[in-house]
Amino acid sequence: MLFSVVIPVYNIEGWLDKCVKSILNQTCKDYEILLIDDGSKDSSGQMCDWYQENYHNIRAVHKENGGLSDARNYGVTFAKGEYLLFIDGDDYIAEWTLEKISHMIRNEFPDVILSEGMYYVQDGKAVLKKTFCAEKVHMISGKDAILYTSAISSDWSACDKCYRTAFWREHGYQFCKDRLAEDMQLIDKVVLQAEKVCMIPTFYYYQRTRGDSIMNNVNVRFMQDILKNLNEWEEYFRTAFLDEKIVCQLRALHAKTVRHAIWGYLYFVDDENRERLLNESKPYVEYLRYSSLLELKLVRILIRLIGLKNTCFVLGSIKKRRNKNG
């Protein structure tokens, strides 16, 4: 069997059918679907059972709720395919995805296959956000892939990629349980350790099911987990003996993450959490010097002039104004 498609399922009864059908409609049929019901309280679990009863290549696995990371890890243990794909149950993929990846596998046998971006679907409209151009690069090492892609934009998603199952298991990769932003903690490390990486056009459609207002995006736990990821990355930098250029480039990406995911939202956090997150994020001010982005250079200057706390209020005010103006 060529592909194992791992789909975590939790309370997505209104979305799951589109996700599963996007795989059933693939032009390549050499796959299994693993539906990992993570303790759903709606009819999602029953839907998983129905798919298993009606399709020979679909397996439903039920478990106690442990979160997205735990469901993915659990799914990998059942995988029989040579390659793994992770698809969130409220998203879907293009019908040519597995066919195109299968051609690359036959020709190159890569450890990881990267998609050049992701479609963001909202109100029925799909907007493409590209991390790089797949046509310019065919097959490179994981380290070169990080240098190439991270120079353009970050893409930590586990879902818009494909992984050789033996490679994944040999390295013992695990998503960090009970952590938000879990992809940031792991995926770039997976790519870095790959000997062969291939690149293909965008195949993944991310459905934006949550509201996008400022308050819907303020999540103290998410911000805290971002900082945990950054701490773990610093430890990785100290022990992995990476090329200094890679370290600097990843720190530049992490600086962008801190600016947008933490400093840009501290304005909207309660006083106690604001002070704590502010103090915990201070060490990453130093990351700004690694970035060549004008936006981050201006943030660095602003911090020098008025301090980090006041800079966060400025960034939050800008975000609030932009949100108000649509």
Side-chain angles (χ1 to χ4, degrees), residues 3 21-31 93-103:
F3 297 106
K21 284 182 177 177
S22 76
I23 303 164
L24 293 173
N25 291 335
Q26 293 293 305
T27 53
C28 169
K29 301 299 183 182
D30 192 8
Y31 63 83
I93 61 175
E95 65 181 15
W96 49 262
T97 303
L98 299 186
E99 186 74 43
K100 194 166 188 68
I101 293 176
S102 68
H103 291 313

Side-chain angles (χ1 to χ4, degrees), residues 5-9 16 20 32-40 43-63 71 74-75 78:
V5 183
V6 178
I7 304 178
V9 176
L16 184 57
V20 174
E32 65 174 353
I33 300 174
L34 299 171
L35 298 174
I36 312 302
D37 173 32
D38 192 39
S40 296
S43 65
S44 298
Q46 289 87 350
M47 292 175 70
C48 293
D49 290 334
W50 184 89
Y51 287 121
Q52 178 175 252
E53 292 168 5
N54 287 274
Y55 295 92
H56 73 280
N57 56 349
I58 296 181
R59 180 174 180 181
V61 180
H62 302 278
K63 60 182 289 295
Y74 201 62
F78 293 94

